[in-house]
Amino acid sequence: MTASFKNFIAGDWIDGVSTVENRNPSDLTDLIGHFAQAGADQLEIALDQAQVAQSAWEGYGIERKYNVLMAIGTEMMARAEELGTLLAREEGKPKAEGKGEVYRAGQFFTYYAAETLRHMGESADSVRPDIEIDVRREAVGVVAIISPWNFPTATASWKIAPALCYGNAVVWKPANATPASAVALTEIIAKQDIPKGLFSLVMGAGSDVGQRLVESPKVNAISFTGSVPVGKGIATAAIQNLTKIQMEMGSKNALAVMDDADLDLAASLAAGGAFGGSGQKCTASSRLIVHASVHDEFVEKLVAATQKLKVGHALEDGTTIGPVVSERQLNENLRYAALGQSEGAELIIGGTRLDMPHDGYYMQPGIFVGSTNDMAINREEMFAPLAAVIKVDSYAEALHTVNDTNFGLTSGIVTTSLARASHFRRNARTGCVMVNLPTAGTDYHVPFGGRGDSSYGPREQGTAAAEFYTVVKTAYISSGTPF
Ligand code: NDP
């Protein structure tokens, strides 16, 4: 019998008004379970209890909060193999990457556990005599977290951990494509020493429970990661209630390969950055901007590196690229493979659906050459195992092309020139810049976010997260009548 999974609302596990089934994209005969969909009334209960619980949580004191966050992170790291396998089973990334993601997610909790103890304010003298000023950050209140399927555990964790650290209550709506990872994380949070209703899980469709959540005046802040159109819709809803928002959205990251680059390194960075996670990363290198003098040699090495990647079942040893997440995503990817060719780019390898022993959403990583930066395949986020090579004649043209996009999350350069690396670091208009490193792959203790259509609102992660999850209070204190 297939397992059914409930929502966690106001401290209780409860059935929804309906369920959705969740299948393994590596093997569609593998039914992972039926997952509850929260109703409108249930969402209201979660929000009402979150308001009550948030006040209680603020009174817990920093050491008790530290213990909660540390316990969550420690358990996630200890269970990374088990939970990473579940993640890989429902999302499709190779098991080792699933394990790595869960471990990293645990690190967000242990990092923010430590931050609870570093929650310091500032003090100042007033310009008026005998008055002191105390400046400190307080919780925003009830935070709605809306997370995507591509990093279902890590993205949610880098939002939930700081939200709780800084004293907020959380109502979490995960992507319906990856509910099992959401339930697993919630089970760990639910058993901690937290006020009833401090943390609620409300699974359901974005267009239903997600939309209700972002329209609610009971929500004080919304942290979202996903697509640009949905992000814009959320911003429109949020502004009606003047709700604080933080959004991480699409991208069109470029890796620039210069004429002085180590081409073996460049090919390995490009293949890993473009095709890792089946290209379903907001930090994926989907534009490869290559100096003409090394173009042909680079492409040859890139094709060789890509051919070494093994597409297969996410849970099988040796798989380096799993399936894409869904039929819809696969069809969209195949549409882009055709679109690039109709625009005049040449698809020299891959870009096709793969028939495998298991029925799943498998796709051969594809490389376009002869593409130009004005083509749709170089302007729109594809979220696919597809990369397009753009030939340029100089470093200046490469930098201009990197910056010629509506997005601005990450960019990278492969070069042995310190002068170029330094110039690129200063002049690339992206939130993250990588030198001789893949565009994908960031640390958990420093800010993460982008420019342009990629991000909106304060940065995530590191100490920068305090900007979003807190409000500043400035208190003036007089000792009253002088004695
Ligand atoms: P969406 O933006 O549709 O979904 C992201 C999250 O928002 C999900 O939890 C989704 O719920 C929820 N959501 C959807 N509609 C609403 C709404 N009206 N109100 C509130 N929440 C909502 O992205 P998709 O998952 O459909 O992916 C589509 C494309 O988005 C990808 O191909 C990629 O280009 C981009 N994307 C980018 C990501 C990034 O990291 N930059 C991450 C994920 C997607 P549900 O899925 O349950 O409907």
Side-chain angles (χ1 to χ4, degrees):
M1 199 176 110
T2 312
S4 291
F5 298 90
K6 302 179 181 194
N7 276 310
F8 186 65
I9 292 177
D12 295 310
W13 291 97
I14 59 170
D15 286 321
V17 291
S18 60
T19 60
V20 291
E21 64 171 35
N22 181 21
R23 285 185 186 271
N24 179 347
S26 296
D27 177 1
L28 299 176
T29 63
D30 178 17
L31 179 58
I32 298 166
H34 296 281
F35 291 81
Q37 305 287 281
D41 294 349
Q42 295 174 331
L43 177 61
E44 290 307 311
I45 292 167
L47 288 167
D48 289 339
Q49 189 57 32
Q51 288 175 326
V52 175
Q54 194 268 325
S55 300
W57 180 237
E58 287 217 86
Y60 260 43
I62 56 174
E63 198 165 50
R64 209 165 155 195
K65 288 196 190 109
Y66 166 89
N67 289 338
V68 167
L69 290 167
M70 193 53 108
I72 297 168
T74 306
E75 180 165 345
M76 290 175 81
M77 288 190 273
R79 294 174 59 196
E81 175 82 34
E82 170 209 345
L83 300 181
T85 302
L86 177 66
L87 195 166
R89 185 177 162 212
E90 73 169 348
E91 198 271 348
K93 65 183 59 174
K95 193 167 70 169
E97 288 178 31
K99 179 181 173 184
E101 175 174 341
V102 172
Y103 193 88
R104 170 55 56 93
Q107 290 175 309
F108 281 107
F109 281 96
T110 55
Y111 172 83
Y112 283 105
E115 281 303 297
T116 59
L117 304 181
R118 293 195 198 99
H119 199 84
M120 310 265 181
E122 292 174 1
S123 60
D125 289 334
S126 168
V127 294
R128 290 166 281 167
D130 299 324
I131 294 176
E132 290 177 345
I133 298 174
D134 173 85
V135 183
R136 62 177 66 210
R137 290 183 175 273
E138 296 183 350
V140 177
V142 176
V143 178
I145 289 175
I146 299 181
S147 55
W149 45 264
N150 60 334
F151 284 94
T153 305
T155 306
S157 296
W158 78 56
K159 297 174 188 294
I160 295 166
L164 296 180
C165 161
Y166 295 114
N168 302 283
V170 169
V171 177
W172 177 28
K173 201 228 71 79
N176 246 355
T178 48
S181 298
V183 170
L185 174 54
T186 301
E187 282 170 352
I188 295 174
I189 297 173
K191 65 187 179 193
Q192 305 301 329
D193 166 30
I194 54 173
K196 185 178 159 69
L198 181 76
F199 179 90
S200 283
L201 171 71
V202 288
M203 294 180 285
S207 55
D208 179 16
V209 67
Q211 188 66 34
R212 288 180 207 280
L213 184 58
V214 299
E215 287 177 358
S216 174
K218 296 172 187 168
V219 169
N220 302 107
I222 302 165
S223 183
F224 165 79
T225 297
S227 62
V228 175
V230 171
K232 286 184 176 172
I234 288 175
T236 304
I239 203 67
Q240 306 311 312
N241 300 315
L242 301 178
T243 306
K244 197 172 181 181
I245 47 175
Q246 171 188 65
M247 302 195 295
E248 206 265 296
M249 299 170 286
S251 57
K252 201 67 201 171
N253 312 298
L255 181 72
V257 179
M258 290 298 91
D259 49 351
D260 56 15
D262 172 339
L263 293 185
D264 290 318
L265 174 68
S268 143
L269 296 178
F275 306 130
S278 303
Q280 301 169 140
K281 294 184 183 179
C282 52
T283 49
S285 323
S286 68
R287 292 183 296 149
L288 305 173
I289 297 168
V290 183
H291 195 286
S293 66
V294 294
H295 175 274
D296 293 355
E297 193 183 345
F298 168 78
V299 169
E300 199 176 298
K301 287 177 186 288
L302 175 63
V303 168
T306 305
Q307 282 169 334
K308 283 194 195 133
L309 299 172
K310 185 171 180 297
V311 180
H313 192 299
L315 303 184
E316 279 174 11
D317 289 342
T319 294
T320 48
I321 305 286
V324 302
V325 73
S326 64
E327 180 94 54
R328 191 184 75 163
Q329 195 71 36
L330 179 61
N331 289 337
E332 190 63 3
N333 297 352
L334 297 173
R335 185 181 73 78
Y336 274 115
L339 179 64
Q341 294 174 87
S342 72
E343 289 182 301
E346 185 189 354
L347 189 61
I348 54 166
I349 179 176
T352 50
R353 185 169 193 161
L354 280 174
D355 282 329
M356 305 289 276
H358 303 285
D359 184 16
Y361 307 123
Y362 296 99
M363 183 170 171
Q364 186 72 42
I367 301 169
F368 286 109
V369 296
S371 79
T372 54
N373 201 44
D374 57 353
M375 292 178 178
I377 54 167
N378 285 322
R379 312 285 325 166
E380 299 170 14
E381 180 173 50
M382 298 188 282
F383 235 52
L386 293 170
V389 177
I390 303 169
K391 196 191 282 189
V392 293
D393 289 320
S394 65
Y395 165 74
E397 188 185 349
L399 177 64
H400 173 80
T401 309
V402 167
N403 287 335
D404 180 12
T405 173
N406 293 338
F407 297 105
L409 185 56
T410 74
S411 59
I413 187 167
V414 194
T415 180
T416 51
S417 158
L418 177 61
R420 276 181 181 166
S422 302
H423 188 271
F424 188 83
R425 179 173 63 78
R426 286 194 306 274
N427 291 286
R429 290 200 290 272
T430 52
C432 308
V433 177
M434 313 295 184
V435 176
N436 294 320
L437 287 167
T439 58
T442 56
D443 287 0
Y444 58 89
H445 65 304
V446 286
F448 176 69
R451 299 187 187 183
D453 288 358
S454 290
S455 297
Y456 188 79
R459 286 280 186 265
E460 302 201 69
Q461 305 180 18
T463 54
E467 186 61 34
F468 177 71
Y469 291 102
T470 63
V471 285
V472 172
K473 178 178 279 177
T474 310
Y476 294 80
I477 305 127
S478 162
S479 53
T481 316
F483 57 89

